[in-house]
Amino acid sequence: MSLLCKVSHRFSSLSLSLSLSLSLSSRRTLHLSSHHFSLAPSPLRLHRKRFAQRRRMASSRLATLVPLCSSAAEHSVADSGASPSPSSSPAQDDEDDFVTGSGYRLPPKEIRDVVDAPPLPVLSFSPHRDKILFLKRRALPPLSDLAKPEEKLAGVRIDGNSNSRSRMSFYTGIGIHGLLDDGSLGPEKEIFGYPEGAKINFVTWSRDGRHLAFAIRFDEEDNTSSKLTVWVADIESGKARPLFNSPDVYLNAIFESFVWVNDSTLLVCTIPLSRGKPPRKPLVPAGPKIQSNEQQNVIQVRTYQDLLKDEYDADLFDYYATSQLVLASLDGTFKLIGPPALYTSIDPSPDEKYVMVTSIHRPYSFIVPCGRFPKKVELWTTEGKVVREICDLPLAEDIPIVSNSVRKGKRSVNWRPDKQSTLYWVETQDGGDAKVEVSPRDIIYMEPAEPLNGEQPEILHKLDLRYGGISWCDESLALVYESWYKTRKTRTWVVAPDQKDVGPQILFDRSSEDVYSDPGSPMMRRTAAGTYVIAKIKKDGDDNTYLLLNGMGATPEGNIPFLDLFDIETGSKERIWESDKEKYYETVVALMSDQTDSTLHLNQLKILTSKESKTENTQYFLQFWPEKRRVQITNFPHPYPQLQSLHKEMIRYERKDGVQLTATLYLPPGYDPSVDGPLPCLVWSYPGEFKSKDAAGQVRGSPNEFAGIGATSPLLWLARRFAILSGPTIPIIGEGEEEANDRYVEQLVASAEAAVEEVVRRGVAHPNKIAVGGHSYGAFMTANLLAHAPHLFCCGVARSGAYNRTLTPFGFQNEDRTLWEATNTYVEMSPFMSANKIKKPILLIHGEEDNNSGTLTLQSDRFFTALKGHGALCRLVILPYESHGYSARESIMHVLWETDRWLRNYCEPNYDVSSSKDTSRNSTTSINSENEKALSASGGGAAHESSEFGELLCTPRSLL
């Protein structure tokens, strides 16, 4: 490289760059007892999670806590959409950007410094709320961790050496802080006694808070992992020791790991001592691979990955997943209970007398993952004696693909948390098929662990929508949730579980899309048995009983979280706490004054809250009633002070059909549009489906939330002097009987057009220098925009997307029609079918081992081939060992380098600074004119413009 090029590179690296999948490093959760509050980025929530799960999680923040450069390019891409001349010279590579001894590249230092910021710890409160664990973590793992051998069996990826899930994250250390009487933190005490360099997993408190149990493993010299051993630590002394006296007892963590049965006993899933070596793959197969449907059953399944392929895979799955349950005491003694089996769940009853044991068994399937294998649920005593079989469900290959379809038979079998040993479950009345019209659709049953002779299960409630979970309180109160995705209807019922003379009453009946009407979820308290129930509240001079409703408080100005005192009899509310509206964003994380099995008094209320601002990291506080005294218990530093003065603004604008849209606009520190002029801009988003325009236009999120920057976040390019438009709403609306995807392209283009017009109107982005990007369904969006709205964007970055919907013929995202039922929609919304229209540069990135349903690596391979076959300016980067999301440091750094290079080559050079202001003046007219041409050429507005809703694992816009 010439000296001039090197100088140019050093200068350009002072600009700033942005990554592509904004993770929620600012959204923290905590962990009470066995539930962790992670101050690390929260895992992305699944878009298709049931309403039940969302309700349960929302009921208590604590209960939901995680259980834990090159030189500047000299050419430009004309705004007409033409590709650069072949004689143009793209950005050159600097030798210093290479990772030593490999082909992996490093992004500019300003990006690396943000990505390599030390991770914050995970917090875990003790059962009595008097101590906090600080679980230490490392930064990004090396690629060698992902390169370890793994088996892909029945939808599960297994590390055969450690006999656990592969690619597990871990903790590096455990610190204990006491909570002093004034609410402040005491000095840290380290857990010690385990070997140095151990990787720590599955940290859980005993019910009395006197001990911790956890598993440890090591890296072996041949880049494999050791097997996991179970350790226990005394909280008072901090000393840890192995649970088992025998060195030959190892944890089997493929499904379950271990649970506390009582304060001094654990039930552990172990590798059977009699297990030999894994089965060897036969050199010659025993016969052909045969699948048959001679019974002519209708079986439609999504494009699942990592499935069993043959009988050898089935044998290997048995080998690794089979566990021997062991009842172990803290004194080191243990005994085997039950036969070896593929146990997937072990759940002790609140009274510590029984264990509900769930296992899977043959016959297995080659077309669905293990979650649909035959499943048996049994009731045992804690000594291992089988009391009775609760159910034995057959293989479930035939669950319809329609939303709200479920498995036949008993499901969601659980213990009532307010009773000693009472079971409840749900049974579908429509055969699990949501297309069947029937009333009731679900029935909830209850019965004691050991029913009397002839005693039949008791019906708790009948539901016309799909069951969505229960929040239990006591014999007189429980809240039952039901919902229906097609109509977005959601209901909350009040029931009296043990009072037959009191009938169920509807408490809330609303649309799940209408966030403005969300009343919040009941706060939960921890019982002495370690379960969680609804907290009842009393206040002076009032005999009524109240609940605490914790809500996000969505408003047209953004979320303003609240805590309401709610009279369940009258429906009246009193707001006893609300977030700051001007500068800070605060949330109620958990109820801390729950160490009683009686009604709580309002004047003794103690809650855990979080507080953050656009530029201040999330901190945690204890608040005490009645004076509402607040004590700060954490003081985490800003993770990237170099970006502390960035500008963040929630903006609103309108789509041409009148739908209100929102986005978060980020501008680099020190930027002044009147002095600096418009910037290059990166738009990063993820579409979402709605049933109504009003709901689609509601504001979600808060302008005061901390600007968390994840390892692959587009906000990284703030350090490269880009404007970032993060999460602009891309609503795909299907009102009434209309299917949203039938007008996907039309609505997608209209939403993108409105977003681009807004940033250009504000003078912060140059119209010829706007790039678009996204991950998964956002990558699908990106490719469609470059195909159908080339006038809006100069280039695109698409990561881990699916581009050909004919490869996912039995539904995708929220589309539950098949390819044969909606052929035009599938074809028209597939960018693969419009590869000949893509003239703007597109960068495709994909993990070689993508395990997400629908987003096979083949999708990017085939799309690149189609693009290349039409002479498109494109680049395909396949990341070895990476899955749907990227985790290894080498991979992430290379993704950032590729993205930065792409943006510098095909985005930054696209305008002349001297003429930028004149160009922006006429941008709106130009955009409108070009859009009319694009819609006309692509059939915009036609009845069958189609859309996709990404893969099964999709990310809510708020998590972008």
Side-chain angles (χ1 to χ4, degrees):
M1 176 179 288
S2 67
L3 177 60
L4 179 59
C5 285
K6 288 189 176 182
V7 171
S8 175
H9 161 68
R10 300 303 180 199
F11 180 76
S12 67
S13 68
L14 295 176
S15 300
L16 206 134
S17 128
L18 202 177
S19 135
L20 296 99
S21 97
L22 185 49
S23 72
L24 260 195
S25 59
S26 66
R27 298 292 356 110
R28 326 284 184 194
T29 50
L30 287 167
H31 163 65
L32 284 187
S33 185
S34 61
H35 305 281
H36 288 298
F37 315 114
S38 167
L39 295 177
S42 299
L44 297 182
R45 289 184 234 170
L46 302 183
H47 186 62
R48 293 176 64 87
K49 280 287 188 185
R50 294 179 195 153
F51 176 76
Q53 292 169 309
R54 288 190 278 117
R55 265 297 174 194
R56 274 204 292 290
M57 293 174 66
S59 64
S60 166
R61 272 292 184 94
L62 277 185
T64 68
L65 302 178
V66 187
L68 294 172
C69 254
S70 308
S71 62
E74 298 175 357
H75 64 280
S76 66
V77 178
D79 58 3
S80 64
S83 298
S85 166
S87 62
S88 302
S89 300
Q92 300 299 309
D93 302 336
D94 191 327
E95 298 89 342
D96 293 343
D97 290 336
F98 280 100
V99 177
T100 302
S102 79
Y104 286 93
R105 310 301 294 268
L106 294 172
K109 184 178 185 300
E110 56 263 43
I111 291 180
R112 295 201 306 269
D113 287 346
V114 176
V115 176
D116 285 335
L120 294 174
V122 173
L123 302 188
S124 174
F125 280 79
S126 67
H128 297 297
R129 310 295 192 265
D130 58 347
K131 295 179 178 64
I132 310 177
L133 298 184
F134 276 53
L135 303 173
K136 320 293 178 61
R137 303 183 301 124
R138 67 169 181 182
L140 299 174
L143 187 61
S144 58
D145 276 13
L146 274 63
K148 293 175 180 178
E150 67 179 357
E151 302 290 347
K152 301 172 185 176
L153 303 169
V156 179
R157 293 189 171 180
I158 296 172
D159 182 335
N161 290 291
S162 63
N163 219 102
S164 64
R165 298 293 180 101
S166 60
R167 306 167 185 244
M168 284 198 307
S169 59
F170 58 89
Y171 305 118
T172 58
I174 305 174
I176 307 173
H177 291 266
L179 268 178
L180 305 181
D181 292 339
D182 62 359
S184 61
L185 285 184
E188 182 174 88
K189 176 170 57 180
E190 286 278 353
I191 296 292
F192 66 95
Y194 56 85
E196 185 178 355
K199 297 180 177 181
I200 303 171
N201 290 99
F202 312 121
V203 181
T204 57
W205 291 90
S206 63
R207 294 187 182 186
D208 60 4
R210 296 176 57 190
H211 294 90
L212 287 178
F214 54 92
I216 66 170
R217 57 194 162 102
F218 304 92
D219 283 336
E220 305 285 9
E221 293 181 358
D222 58 351
N223 195 38
T224 61
S225 295
S226 68
K227 290 183 170 55
L228 288 92
T229 55
V230 183
W231 287 60
V232 291
D234 179 81
I235 293 297
E236 189 63 32
S237 67
K239 182 175 177 54
R241 58 177 175 78
L243 172 64
F244 296 104
N245 292 328
S246 171
D248 299 322
V249 181
Y250 297 107
L251 184 67
N252 187 336
I254 301 299
F255 292 112
E256 186 64 273
S257 54
F258 52 81
V259 295
W260 288 92
V261 175
N262 54 46
D263 294 339
S264 60
T265 308
L266 293 103
L267 187 57
V268 186
C269 288
T270 67
I271 298 173
L273 292 173
S274 59
R275 190 180 78 172
K277 294 182 178 180
R280 297 184 62 180
K281 188 177 182 66
L283 294 176
V284 178
K289 299 177 182 178
I290 298 173
Q291 295 187 56
S292 175
N293 191 34
E294 295 178 54
Q295 298 79 17
Q296 296 183 296
N297 296 321
V298 177
I299 298 177
Q300 301 176 351
V301 295
R302 298 288 178 114
T303 49
Y304 299 114
Q305 302 194 52
D306 298 344
L307 301 176
L308 298 178
K309 299 180 290 298
D310 50 33
E311 284 302 318
Y312 167 72
D313 273 2
D315 291 342
L316 205 58
F317 180 66
D318 280 339
Y319 176 83
Y320 287 117
T322 298
S323 295
Q324 171 64 63
L325 295 184
V326 171
L327 199 63
S329 299
L330 292 181
D331 61 8
T333 60
F334 66 91
K335 70 173 183 177
L336 311 184
I337 64 170
L342 280 75
Y343 298 111
T344 59
S345 173
I346 45 178
D347 186 11
S349 60
D351 64 0
E352 305 174 357
K353 292 182 179 179
Y354 303 96
V355 180
M356 184 165 54
V357 178
T358 304
S359 60
I360 56 178
H361 59 82
R362 293 178 182 250
Y364 299 151
S365 169
F366 300 119
I367 64 173
V368 294
C370 60
R372 294 194 182 186
F373 288 0
K375 180 172 70 171
K376 180 185 293 186
V377 182
E378 295 179 311
L379 196 62
W380 296 5
T381 67
T382 52
E383 296 299 314
K385 178 185 176 182
V386 177
V387 177
R388 64 187 177 101
E389 180 183 289
I390 297 173
C391 63
D392 192 352
L393 305 179
L395 179 65
E397 291 183 330
D398 60 347
I399 299 176
I401 62 173
V402 179
S403 298
N404 290 120
S405 293
V406 296
R407 190 172 192 159
K408 301 173 186 176
K410 294 181 179 180
R411 69 182 198 276
S412 301
V413 185
N414 290 294
W415 295 107
R416 271 186 62 172
D418 62 318
K419 292 291 184 179
Q420 290 188 333
S421 53
T422 297
L423 294 165
Y424 71 96
W425 67 89
V426 187
E427 292 187 36
T428 179
Q429 306 302 299
D430 56 14
D433 188 350
K435 287 184 177 180
V436 175
E437 295 295 334
V438 64
S439 177
R441 189 171 294 276
D442 274 337
I443 298 179
I444 307 169
Y445 295 94
M446 303 184 301
E447 71 176 359
E450 296 191 63
L452 300 176
N453 289 335
E455 184 178 4
Q456 296 299 310
E458 178 184 348
I459 294 178
L460 174 65
H461 194 28
K462 297 179 179 181
L463 303 171
D464 285 335
L465 308 181
R466 188 63 78 202
Y467 168 77
I470 303 178
S471 294
W472 296 90
C473 182
D474 54 27
E475 67 281 350
S476 65
L477 175 63
L479 301 182
V480 178
Y481 309 105
E482 63 173 340
S483 64
W484 197 248
Y485 177 76
K486 278 292 185 182
T487 60
R488 308 303 198 271
K489 179 178 284 293
T490 176
R491 293 178 185 145
T492 302
W493 292 84
V494 178
V495 298
D498 301 324
Q499 297 177 359
K500 293 183 175 59
D501 56 333
V502 180
Q505 300 290 327
I506 289 182
L507 184 63
F508 304 121
D509 190 350
R510 46 182 292 273
S511 169
S512 60
E513 288 185 338
D514 182 10
V515 294
Y516 291 170
S517 69
D518 190 346
S521 302
M523 295 290 290
M524 312 295 283
R525 66 173 178 84
R526 190 179 189 276
T527 68
T531 61
Y532 284 86
V533 298
I534 296 174
K536 282 186 173 181
I537 306 295
K538 287 283 190 181
K539 61 180 183 178
D540 288 337
D542 192 336
D543 293 332
N544 292 351
T545 299
Y546 298 86
L547 309 184
L548 291 171
L549 293 184
N550 180 14
M552 295 310 296
T555 74
E557 289 71 44
N559 289 355
I560 305 173
F562 62 83
L563 190 63
D564 281 350
L565 202 59
F566 179 70
D567 189 327
I568 202 165
E569 296 293 335
T570 66
S572 62
K573 301 178 183 178
E574 176 188 349
R575 188 141 299 179
I576 62 172
W577 179 91
E578 188 175 69
S579 170
D580 177 83
K581 304 176 184 178
E582 303 303 323
K583 178 181 179 181
Y584 291 100
Y585 176 73
E586 301 171 287
T587 65
V588 174
V589 179
L591 182 64
M592 301 295 283
S593 54
D594 60 1
Q595 292 307 300
T596 174
D597 281 339
S598 60
T599 300
L600 305 176
H601 198 281
L602 181 61
N603 286 340
Q604 297 175 334
L605 187 64
K606 180 168 65 173
I607 61 174
L608 180 71
T609 63
S610 67
K611 181 179 180 181
E612 62 196 84
S613 73
K614 299 175 184 179
T615 59
E616 298 174 55
N617 201 0
T618 306
Q619 307 296 348
Y620 291 90
F621 297 78
L622 289 176
Q623 291 202 17
F624 302 83
W625 265 253
E627 67 275 11
K628 297 185 181 180
R629 177 173 59 92
R630 184 167 63 182
V631 178
Q632 183 171 342
I633 61 173
T634 62
N635 188 24
F636 297 119
H638 197 292
Y640 20 87
Q642 64 271 40
L643 296 178
Q644 187 165 5
S645 60
L646 60 79
H647 173 85
K648 176 187 177 183
E649 180 182 359
M650 182 176 285
I651 62 175
R652 301 194 66 179
Y653 48 97
E654 187 175 294
R655 201 164 76 178
K656 63 183 180 182
D657 60 358
V659 176
Q660 296 295 313
L661 305 177
T662 60
T664 303
L665 176 63
Y666 294 89
L667 299 171
Y671 169 71
D672 184 342
S674 63
V675 175
D676 303 323
L679 296 170
C681 178
L682 177 58
V683 177
W684 199 266
S685 192
Y686 194 103
E689 284 187 6
F690 292 88
K691 289 300 293 181
S692 76
K693 291 182 178 180
D694 289 342
Q698 292 184 352
V699 177
R700 292 161 173 83
S702 168
N704 295 326
E705 290 181 87
F706 180 67
I709 303 180
T712 53
S713 165
L715 298 189
L716 290 165
W717 274 266
L718 289 169
R720 301 283 277 169
R721 307 301 294 175
F722 270 70
I724 308 302
L725 192 67
S726 177
T729 48
I730 311 284
I732 311 300
I733 304 166
E735 294 187 306
E737 297 300 315
E738 180 187 24
E739 293 287 346
N741 283 345
D742 289 342
R743 294 196 304 119
Y744 173 82
V745 173
E746 175 189 343
Q747 296 189 64
L748 177 71
V749 172
S751 298
E753 178 188 76
V756 168
E757 287 182 359
E758 180 64 18
V759 292
V760 171
R761 183 191 68 79
R762 289 170 171 262
V764 298
H766 193 283
N768 295 334
K769 197 182 176 192
I770 301 176
V772 63
H775 185 94
S776 193
Y777 189 52
F780 177 85
M781 169 205 75
T782 298
N784 265 310
L785 285 173
L786 293 184
H788 302 292
H791 58 290
L792 295 178
F793 303 103
C794 62
C795 65
V797 180
R799 292 207 247 128
S800 298
Y803 309 103
N804 183 354
R805 282 303 150 199
T806 67
L807 296 179
T808 56
F810 291 109
F812 54 90
Q813 205 74 353
N814 293 318
E815 177 60 70
D816 51 24
R817 296 171 295 175
T818 70
L819 168 64
W820 300 271
E821 293 170 325
T823 305
N824 288 343
T825 296
Y826 271 69
V827 171
E828 292 174 8
M829 69 187 299
S830 295
F832 179 86
M833 303 301 181
S834 299
N836 60 318
K837 298 180 182 179
I838 296 179
K839 307 301 181 184
K840 295 297 179 69
I842 182 169
L843 171 63
L844 303 175
I845 302 175
H846 216 119
E848 191 172 32
E849 305 294 336
D850 194 326
N851 64 341
N852 184 47
S853 177
T855 56
L856 299 82
T857 309
L858 177 69
Q859 289 273 6
S860 287
D861 286 331
R862 294 284 176 86
F863 190 38
F864 177 74
T865 301
L867 292 167
K868 189 176 178 181
H870 289 89
L873 197 166
C874 53
R875 182 178 174 94
L876 172 62
V877 179
I878 301 296
L879 303 171
Y881 302 114
E882 292 291 352
S883 185
H884 190 58
Y886 319 138
S887 58
R889 186 177 188 274
E890 293 93 330
S891 302
I892 288 173
M893 290 299 179
H894 190 84
V895 166
L896 302 179
W897 177 85
E898 291 279 359
T899 305
D900 188 66
R901 171 187 176 274
W902 205 253
L903 294 177
R904 285 182 296 105
N905 281 352
Y906 307 116
C907 183
E908 286 189 82
N910 283 342
Y911 77 107
D912 183 350
V913 176
S914 63
S915 62
S916 62
K917 293 183 180 178
D918 292 336
T919 306
S920 64
R921 216 175 269 133
N922 299 317
S923 59
T924 302
T925 302
S926 173
I927 290 171
N928 288 332
S929 174
E930 290 290 343
N931 190 51
E932 290 174 2
K933 296 177 185 176
L935 287 177
S936 175
S938 63
H944 296 290
E945 279 297 84
S946 66
S947 122
E948 116 154 326
F949 257 67
E951 316 330 315
L952 284 181
L953 301 180
C954 65
T955 310
R957 185 192 67 81
S958 61
L959 292 189
L960 293 172

